Amino acid sequence: MENQDKKRVLIIEAALKRFAHYGLSKTTMTEIAKDISFSKALLYYYFPDKLSLYVSAIEHLMQIISRDLVKSIDKTSSSTEGIFKLLQKRQSFIQKYYNLLESTQIIGNELPDDLYQKFSKARAFEAIIISSLFSRGVTSGEFIMEDPKLTTEIFLDALSGIHFNIMSKDKNIFPGKDQFKQIFIKEKLFAEIFLQGLSPKN
């Protein structure tokens, strides 16, 4: 069983590299198998099709990102620093794995439920992190707010609004790399204004 788990992880890691570099449509199961010297039949033993492997690769990546994010935020000296670290890490993640994420546009309306659940779980995790940073800021006296949970919802809604506004102007479903840069710049500026408003100094 342990050996089977190792093989599964090897397949997922190889697929992640391929999907990140070439995207979903330009990656084949044959190429992934060749990268790790496995037979194509073995890949299909673990994953019935390329899409199921893609979903597992997304899940694996989110676990890596989550651990890295928590580790990075734990090292920050303030809640404000933690918020900006989260935004910066998210931008770095998008730049590095742009081709992987763009592939969700190719899937389109056929986005499987389990993949949708993975993205929903990632959004929920981000909300928990931000809420905990706000709560930490209240405890330390860095922020003043009555309801950290509601403040988190407003903060995330505003970030989503920035994303939607930029996308609607160009009538695109998924942002291009230049659009992601615009989104990040505006997110950072918004966060600066928003967090200043929570400071007891104001």
Side-chain angles (χ1 to χ4, degrees):
M1 180 64 73
E2 184 179 348
N3 188 44
Q4 285 188 337
D5 289 340
K6 285 181 179 179
K7 286 180 179 179
R8 187 176 187 278
V9 171
L10 279 173
I11 293 169
I12 291 172
E13 289 176 345
L16 182 57
K17 288 179 182 178
R18 277 275 171 184
F19 291 140
H21 190 74
Y22 299 103
L24 178 64
S25 63
K26 294 181 181 178
T27 296
T28 67
M29 295 290 269
T30 301
E31 290 167 337
I32 295 169
K34 188 177 179 181
D35 287 343
I36 48 178
S37 300
F38 281 2
S39 68
K40 201 162 95 169
L42 184 61
L43 261 66
Y44 283 113
Y45 171 78
Y46 287 98
F47 302 97
D49 50 46
K50 187 171 68 170
L51 187 56
S52 66
L53 178 51
Y54 175 77
V55 171
S56 294
I58 288 283
E59 181 179 29
H60 182 70
L61 178 61
M62 286 180 175
Q63 290 171 354
I64 293 171
I65 295 296
S66 297
R67 287 195 296 267
D68 179 59
L69 187 58
V70 170
K71 188 177 179 181
S72 297
I73 288 177
D74 282 345
K75 293 179 180 178
T76 57
S77 58
S78 68
S79 295
T80 297
E81 185 185 350
I83 295 290
F84 286 118
K85 177 62 72 174
L86 183 146
L87 294 177
Q88 182 267 320
K89 282 283 183 181
R90 185 168 65 171
Q91 176 68 5
S92 297
F93 157 69
I94 289 169
Q95 287 178 342
K96 185 175 181 179
Y97 295 101
Y98 179 81
N99 289 333
L100 181 78
L101 296 172
E102 189 183 33
S103 296
T104 58
Q105 183 182 358
I106 298 169
I107 299 170
N109 294 330
E110 297 178 10
L111 197 68
D113 288 340
D114 49 356
L115 185 57
Y116 176 78
Q117 289 170 8
K118 300 291 184 296
F119 285 120
S120 296
K121 189 176 179 181
R123 285 192 292 269
F125 176 77
E126 186 177 56
I128 291 170
I129 291 290
I130 293 173
S131 182
S132 67
L133 284 168
F134 282 157
S135 296
R136 185 174 114 185
V138 171
T139 301
S140 67
E142 183 182 351
F143 298 143
I144 293 177
M145 66 183 80
E146 293 183 3
D147 190 339
K149 184 179 178 182
L150 179 59
T151 304
T152 299
E153 290 177 6
I154 294 170
F155 184 76
L156 288 174
D157 284 348
L159 291 180
S160 297
I162 291 171
H163 185 283
F164 176 78
N165 189 48
I166 290 176
M167 295 309 301
S168 62
K169 285 179 181 177
D170 295 331
K171 298 180 180 179
N172 290 335
I173 298 173
F174 190 80
K177 291 184 179 180
D178 289 338
Q179 288 173 316
F180 267 123
K181 288 180 182 177
Q182 291 177 40
I183 290 169
F184 176 65
I185 290 169
K186 289 189 176 183
E187 282 181 344
K188 189 177 178 184
L189 180 57
F190 163 73
E192 288 174 1
I193 297 168
F194 190 90
L195 297 179
Q196 283 174 9
L198 297 175
S199 172
K201 298 174 185 176
N202 293 328

